[in-house]
Amino acid sequence: MSMSTRDVVASEIIHEAEIDRALEEARRPDRGRLDELLAKARDKQGLTVSEAAELMKIEEPEHLQLLFDAARDVKQAIYGNRVVLFAPLYISNECVGNCVYCSFRADNTDLKRRTLGPEEIRAETEELLRHGYKRLLLVFGDHPSNDVDHIVAAVDACYSARYGEDRIRRLNVNAAPLSESGFRKLQPSGLGTFQVFQETYHRATYERMHPTGPKADYDWRLTVWDRCLPSGIDDMGLGVLYGLYDWRWDTLALLEHADYLMRTYGVGPHTISVPRLEPALGSEFSTTSPWRVSDEEFKKLVAIIRLAVPYTGMILTTRETAQFRNEIMDLGFSQISAGSRTSPGGYTEEHPDEMDTRQFELGDHRDLDEVMLSLCENGYLPSFCTACYRSGRTGHEFMELAKPGKIQTFCLPNALLSFKEYLLDYATPETIAAGERIIARHLRQIESDAIRRQTEEKLRRTEQGERDLFI
Ligand code: SAM
């Protein structure tokens, strides 16, 4: 299980030649072959790299439809209608990196730099609590002012914030990769998922995109989980920034990375993020990249990832527009952000998301309640559930339950309980009406009579004022 960082080399994780070969040799599947591939995926057996490459070749509208239907079925079978909501909380836009696509890059002198202190973090968190959020993603630029001690202090400040009785129940972190001792220092702070996106797995492109600073080291970033897992932080968030290189290549490499983690440690990624490149202040590349991914290509890659790694949560952010988010949600996403601001201080200050402090442009500007209402109107069950993580069901243990579908036993009741709290404490009348219908409909879907009765009883206790009940 445990492996020292020194033993891991990038070529064990990403096999460039194999990816090149898979893309070169893949043939567009005929109907018979397509049915075969989709049957395997529907059976939740995942897909190999060469099988995924075949699906990337599909062009016929009818075959694309079959691909999307299969992705929807797998998403339904594993996640049902539940969608978990969170907001990013930008702690710092100070950065020594020089990522050519990002407004935070050190050479961008037009950006106003800022790192929030503990009081400011508490104020931002209280503002988010006031709207009903229970889960946040803390985002940090790569800078000495964001070293592990500062990350721990930020996590503590965030967890210590209160709005009435409410507090944040799960914090995830997106930051530069740490050393093994850094992860060991961070572990006791009680964070959930640690996110590090490789951005692009294609080494030559990676080197062009990250010319200077610590992020220029491709191998250090790629081997982050080999340092993270031994610390006991076992919810890993992987991602590709789509638009830096060929989406096909990067998707196959992402699947190789997930497969490496599963083979080596018996734990796959907890989440996969698929951000698409958005215009960023001071980054010409962010608007001129030749690799920008179209909506149609994006839908294809989301469906293929859903089928290839069925047990990994997929995250959809407010980089995408409200309309497009509604269109693609059911292709595989289980977590979405809502009401996001991408500048430090963006939730509490007069002019949120000013051009000169934010990371990139957003596509969805709706607030949390509008997103909740729209989810309900489209038949989804919004969830703030954090039960697995707080009951120790993470990493390996989570996978053991997820694979045979046992995690469903917990997910549906806990989604209902956390959503009920939101309706009682924070929702607008319109969302309450739509939300109560969603709760009634989903309560009937709990298969076990005993668990349904337990859930009904906890829903009643929630109505009477108890909070944070879960199964
Ligand atoms: N310092 C951390 C690190 O080293 O990963 C955090 C980087 S950044 C604040 C978080 C993520 O935003 C990046 O990993 C990247 O994928 C994404 N990002 C950067 N620029 C972007 C852009 N122009 N459009 C969309 N996403 C972007």
Side-chain angles (χ1 to χ4, degrees):
M1 239 315 251
S2 111
M3 198 180 207
S4 118
T5 316
R6 284 182 307 282
D7 300 325
V8 183
V9 289
S11 60
E12 285 174 50
I13 305 174
I14 300 300
H15 308 99
E16 294 217 349
E18 268 174 39
I19 298 172
D20 289 340
R21 194 171 336 115
L23 285 172
E24 217 175 278
E25 289 176 358
R27 296 286 160 263
R28 186 173 303 171
D30 61 17
R31 179 59 196 264
R33 176 64 180 155
L34 181 62
D35 286 346
E36 204 178 299
L37 291 170
L38 297 183
K40 179 185 175 198
R42 272 205 167 85
D43 202 27
K44 300 185 251 349
Q45 295 179 47
L47 295 170
T48 65
V49 161
S50 51
E51 289 167 343
E54 286 181 74
L55 293 180
M56 289 172 176
K57 292 272 175 186
I58 300 176
E59 293 293 349
E60 307 87 324
E62 192 195 323
H63 287 187
L64 278 173
Q65 203 46 53
L66 292 170
L67 171 72
F68 296 153
D69 289 347
R72 284 190 190 101
D73 289 348
V74 167
K75 139 91 181 145
Q76 244 328 299
I78 295 179
Y79 301 93
N81 290 328
R82 296 181 307 281
V83 176
V84 165
L85 288 114
F86 73 95
L89 174 48
Y90 278 68
I91 303 295
S92 172
N93 61 8
E94 290 190 83
C95 201
V96 292
N98 241 326
C99 314
V100 300
Y101 47 82
C102 183
S103 67
F104 288 3
R105 71 200 164 80
D107 286 354
N108 183 9
T109 49
D110 293 334
L111 193 82
K112 284 192 191 139
R113 304 289 169 169
R114 173 140 187 228
T115 295
L116 302 183
E119 278 315 312
E120 292 167 310
I121 295 172
R122 257 190 294 279
E124 288 270 293
T125 310
E126 282 162 16
E127 180 58 23
L128 287 160
L129 284 167
R130 205 170 65 77
H131 286 87
Y133 291 95
K134 301 282 187 287
R135 305 170 61 114
L136 300 180
L137 170 69
L138 302 187
V139 184
F140 300 82
D142 184 0
H143 193 269
S145 64
N146 300 319
D147 65 9
V148 67
D149 293 324
H150 286 85
I151 298 179
V152 171
V155 169
D156 289 347
C158 211
Y159 274 136
S160 72
R162 293 286 181 277
Y163 179 71
E165 295 291 299
D166 272 337
R167 61 186 183 83
I168 293 299
R169 297 178 188 166
R170 176 167 174 134
L171 275 180
N172 300 326
V173 164
N174 180 310
L178 301 176
S179 63
E180 194 170 324
S181 64
F183 279 120
R184 287 190 195 282
K185 224 176 194 181
L186 182 59
Q187 193 275 341
S189 70
L191 89 160
T193 311
F194 196 88
Q195 285 188 349
V196 176
F197 307 156
Q198 187 64 25
E199 320 296 11
T200 174
Y201 285 92
H202 189 256
R203 188 184 288 271
T205 306
Y206 184 96
E207 285 166 3
R208 272 198 306 281
M209 293 294 118
H210 309 101
T212 56
K215 197 162 168 179
D217 188 343
Y218 175 100
D219 292 10
W220 176 254
R221 198 166 181 91
L222 187 67
T223 55
V224 55
W225 309 117
D226 305 284
R227 300 187 299 277
C228 178
L229 280 169
S231 76
I233 299 173
D234 53 6
D235 278 355
M236 304 168 277
L238 272 59
V240 162
L241 178 55
Y242 282 100
L244 303 188
Y245 187 57
D246 185 351
W247 64 269
R248 300 167 191 84
W249 206 98
D250 266 327
T251 302
L252 296 186
L254 175 74
L255 299 183
E256 281 202 341
H257 197 179
D259 180 58
Y260 161 80
L261 294 170
M262 200 61 194
R263 268 188 290 115
T264 313
Y265 301 105
V267 193
H270 191 70
T271 54
I272 287 181
S273 298
V274 288
R276 273 200 295 184
L277 189 61
E278 295 296 332
L281 175 74
S283 161
E284 202 192 324
F285 180 84
S286 69
T287 52
T288 58
S289 167
W291 297 109
R292 286 174 69 84
V293 174
S294 71
D295 287 357
E296 281 312 305
E297 290 168 333
F298 192 66
K299 282 161 73 172
K300 217 198 250 192
L301 75 87
V302 167
I304 291 170
I305 295 174
R306 177 65 303 139
L307 297 178
V309 278
Y311 301 102
T312 297
M314 285 181 75
I315 301 180
L316 178 61
T317 71
T318 52
R319 290 173 178 88
E320 306 297 340
T321 63
Q323 196 195 352
F324 191 52
R325 295 216 302 169
N326 284 338
E327 191 186 326
I328 60 173
M329 192 94 75
D330 65 350
L331 287 181
F333 292 103
S334 47
Q335 294 192 25
I336 64 169
S337 53
S340 307
R341 305 262 189 265
T342 64
S343 44
Y347 295 106
T348 46
E349 286 163 16
E350 274 291 290
H351 303 289
D353 246 4
E354 278 177 335
M355 253 312 264
D356 55 0
T357 51
R358 73 180 173 196
Q359 193 192 6
F360 47 75
E361 280 179 29
L362 295 176
D364 183 348
H365 300 275
R366 295 172 299 172
D367 70 19
L368 177 63
D369 197 73
E370 288 172 287
V371 174
M372 299 292 258
L373 176 61
S374 154
L375 286 172
C376 292
E377 285 171 347
N378 288 297
Y380 293 105
L381 168 60
S383 170
F384 287 111
C385 176
T386 54
C388 273
Y389 154 71
R390 288 185 301 146
S391 307
R393 298 190 290 265
T394 65
H396 194 261
E397 184 157 340
F398 178 82
M399 293 283 153
E400 291 288 294
L401 284 166
K403 289 215 157 159
K406 284 192 191 152
I407 205 78
Q408 299 274 19
T409 318
F410 304 105
C411 289
L412 183 50
N414 290 333
L416 289 168
L417 289 163
S418 65
F419 184 43
K420 180 75 178 183
E421 282 189 16
Y422 175 80
L423 294 182
L424 289 166
D425 296 341
Y426 298 104
T428 56
E430 220 184 338
T431 306
I432 295 173
E436 287 297 349
R437 284 194 294 273
I438 286 289
I439 290 186
R441 190 188 309 161
H442 286 85
L443 198 51
R444 288 196 290 273
Q445 291 175 11
I446 299 178
E447 279 172 20
S448 144
D449 287 342
I451 291 183
R452 194 173 46 256
R453 276 197 297 275
Q454 249 189 67
T455 310
E456 282 166 343
E457 202 249 322
K458 289 192 170 170
L459 283 170
R460 263 193 303 277
R461 284 168 50 195
T462 305
E463 269 172 7
Q464 287 157 9
E466 281 188 67
R467 289 292 173 267
D468 204 9
L469 300 175
F470 55 86
I471 285 180

